[in-house]
Amino acid sequence: LFRSLPWTSDFAQFEIRVVEPPTTFRVFRRRIYPTMAQVPQQQCVVAMFMPAEQFQNYFPGAFPYQTQMVPAPYLPQQQLHATAFPGPAMQQVPLEIQMKSQDPAATYHSGRCRCVSGQLSDRSTSPTEQALETASLQQEETQRARLTTSASRRLRRKRAVERATAGEGPVATPAVHCPCAAADAISFDDARCERLRRQLSEGSSRDVLAALAVLRGHVWSLARDAAGCRLVQLALERAGQREAAELAQELKGHVCEASTSPHANYVIQKVVSQLSVSSSDFVAREILAGNTQKIVRHRYGCRILCRLLEFSASSHLTRRLIDEVLTEAEELCCHSFGHHVVQSVIEHGLEKHRSRVAAALLANPLEYAKHRNASYLIERALNFCSRDDQESLLRLLAHPGTIVDLALSQYGCYVARALLQDKRTDVQAALAGIRSVRAQLEQTRHGQNLLFDLGLSSVSRAA
């Protein structure tokens, strides 16, 4: 097949991938050893990716389809160039394969064939150097799989600096032809983001509208970038309700992904806090359709739920969302991130949702009061829950002996302080019990702080 084409006659290696619909793949490998003495000992890889039926003319009887191979227009490729060998020049053309057995208009383009009759990008390496480079790349990929995102980013920067120092120049990369974050990173660099930020923050209303026009179509890709997410948040603040709602429309279908993004989650929070309930209700709708229990336990996702409770707690979608969240209220009370959502329910939620949280806390209030995360919820429940729920908690926790037990606990001491500030507690009896364990409290930092706050110690609070 390749011997019959002039632009591949002197290739040292080629690879053909045969695709059998719908998902089966087969790979054929062949080697061609050139007869020209002046060809250097450097291998060039050429790949063609085409359906299996395309090989009817070259493998008779193998495939029952008729195909035709025709030249396609020349397509330039960035950052790649070829240096010809001494001898006759060879033609460089891409191929476009047109199928006759199906739709005549359907074509399969192979891209520009990187025909090289000399050195690729002026780099000539020996087989030993190629083997060492391949081993280095494999080791890097294995190491990168174990690294965090930030560590992988530092490793890529380090290797880029090493290549630049060695004079290798930039690595050839294919052009990006999709509206994704990689494409927008080129057009929205730091300098342009800064200009747009100044235009939004300091410009006139006409300047703001001009900046919003530039951002349209790029909101989701910018939201995933550290500088871009701040730009989108500022745009949502400066835009009117109609313009902000138009920008927010570009985030539809991406809420669950944004909920776990270190940058995009701030944009979703800004949508909830800046837009009207009717314009931002898609946020709660998409979280409901996704994995709600996963998002409520995520370090970034829990923030979005907190904003929904603060700004749209009465929305029917938010009510449905909180109903689903509180099906596991007992576990969430102790979760490192989920307890923030439960706290927002106590402070901003509906009365029925507060009663549900109070019922979970009343199941074992002493244990929750000593827990690192749940102790915050006991303090909030004593202030925000209904009077009946508060009385129920006080009956179980406001005994002098229980308060002393809480005072000796690292996290329960905060609940003890809150109980001593409540007028419904027998403060004098509780203080008498605390004085009896004063020596024990003075041995711990939290005990020293509690004694100082209660006026039972002249020593200043521990750092």
Side-chain angles (χ1 to χ4, degrees), residues 53-73:
E53 59 267 21
Q54 303 294 330
F55 286 88
Q56 165 65 22
N57 295 335
Y58 304 99
F59 300 96
F63 307 103
Y65 301 99
Q66 295 181 355
T67 62
Q68 180 182 4
M69 302 181 68
V70 297

Side-chain angles (χ1 to χ4, degrees), residues 137-298:
L137 291 174
Q138 292 177 350
Q139 182 179 3
E140 178 185 342
E141 292 296 332
T142 304
Q143 182 182 7
R144 186 178 301 170
R146 299 192 299 266
L147 296 176
T148 61
T149 303
S150 59
S152 299
R153 188 183 305 113
R154 290 193 297 270
L155 180 59
R156 290 195 298 271
R157 291 173 180 171
K158 179 181 178 182
R159 288 185 61 84
V161 172
E162 291 176 352
R163 287 195 297 269
T165 305
E168 296 182 1
V171 178
T173 56
V176 181
H177 302 291
C178 61
C180 59
D184 284 333
I186 300 174
S187 56
F188 288 91
D189 54 9
D190 292 343
R192 188 176 187 186
C193 287
E194 179 61 23
R195 289 195 299 270
L196 289 171
R197 187 197 65 79
R198 289 198 302 267
Q199 188 174 350
L200 287 169
S201 59
E202 304 172 5
S204 62
S205 58
R206 181 176 299 180
D207 295 332
V208 171
L209 292 177
L212 295 178
V214 174
L215 295 179
R216 287 190 178 94
H218 307 283
V219 173
W220 171 233
S221 55
L222 287 172
R224 290 171 287 172
D225 179 70
C229 76
R230 297 186 181 94
L231 186 61
V232 175
Q233 292 177 72
L234 181 60
L236 291 171
E237 291 178 358
R238 297 283 291 163
Q241 281 293 317
R242 185 179 66 180
E243 291 80 6
E246 291 176 357
L247 293 178
Q249 291 296 313
E250 300 183 29
L251 298 172
K252 284 189 175 181
H254 304 290
V255 173
C256 290
E257 182 180 353
S259 299
T260 58
S261 169
H263 307 302
N265 79 88
Y266 291 105
V267 177
I268 300 297
Q269 292 182 63
K270 188 64 67 174
V271 167
V272 174
S273 61
Q274 292 293 131
L275 273 64
S276 63
V277 175
S278 60
S279 299
S280 61
D281 60 357
F282 70 93
V283 175
R285 183 181 294 110
E286 292 189 23
I287 294 178
L288 270 171
N291 193 337
T292 305
Q293 296 299 335
K294 177 182 178 181
I295 294 176
V296 75
R297 290 170 171 80
H298 196 274

